[in-house]
Amino acid sequence: MGDLSYHRKRKIAQMPALEVNYNNAALRVEVNDNRSAALFINNIQRMQESLTTLPGTLRLSSSVQTDYEWHEFIEVIVTFDEKEITISLLASDAEIASETHPA
């Protein structure tokens, strides 16, 4: 008999994600293929939204304690169109990271 240890590898498409460590807080935005985005803070999902039509924009937000007795407002803006997905991450109205990925 032949070698039964053959493993078929399949490429799994990686969906866009943006990860930032900001003032002792781990921020992550995940976008999936059904036009949905989720905001995670310190590995806890804080908010998730989905779009029904293209083009469109999702806004996710949460407050976070970044240092001792210091809280900031975190906002994510995800813009979808037929060609690309743009993820912007803001802390207290200042952009701290942004990425654009092919749709």
Side-chain angles (χ1 to χ4, degrees):
M1 298 263 291
D3 182 6
L4 297 177
S5 64
Y6 175 77
H7 295 287
R8 205 166 115 182
K9 292 185 179 178
R10 153 182 110 136
K11 186 174 180 182
I12 298 172
Q14 183 73 24
M15 292 309 297
L18 177 61
E19 295 185 61
V20 175
N21 285 318
Y22 178 74
N23 289 347
N24 298 320
L27 309 177
R28 185 173 79 248
V29 181
E30 293 181 359
V31 177
N32 64 34
D33 54 3
N34 64 350
R35 296 183 293 235
S36 178
L39 169 62
F40 293 83
I41 298 176
N42 297 327
N43 290 320
I44 298 170
Q45 183 174 324
R46 296 288 186 95
M47 190 174 185
Q48 180 173 356
E49 293 288 333
S50 298
L51 276 179
T52 56
T53 61
L54 281 179
T57 300
L58 294 176
R59 290 183 179 268
L60 310 173
S61 61
S62 180
S63 62
V64 62
Q65 183 173 341
T66 53
D67 279 318
Y68 182 73
E69 293 191 13
W70 183 261
H71 291 77
E72 293 198 52
F73 181 71
I74 302 299
E75 184 176 25
V76 175
I77 301 170
V78 183
T79 305
F80 294 84
D81 66 27
E82 291 80 8
K83 295 181 180 179
E84 60 189 21
I85 300 166
T86 301
I87 307 167
S88 297
L89 186 57
L90 297 90
S92 298
D93 294 325
E95 185 175 279
I96 57 173
S98 181
E99 289 183 356
T100 299
H101 301 270

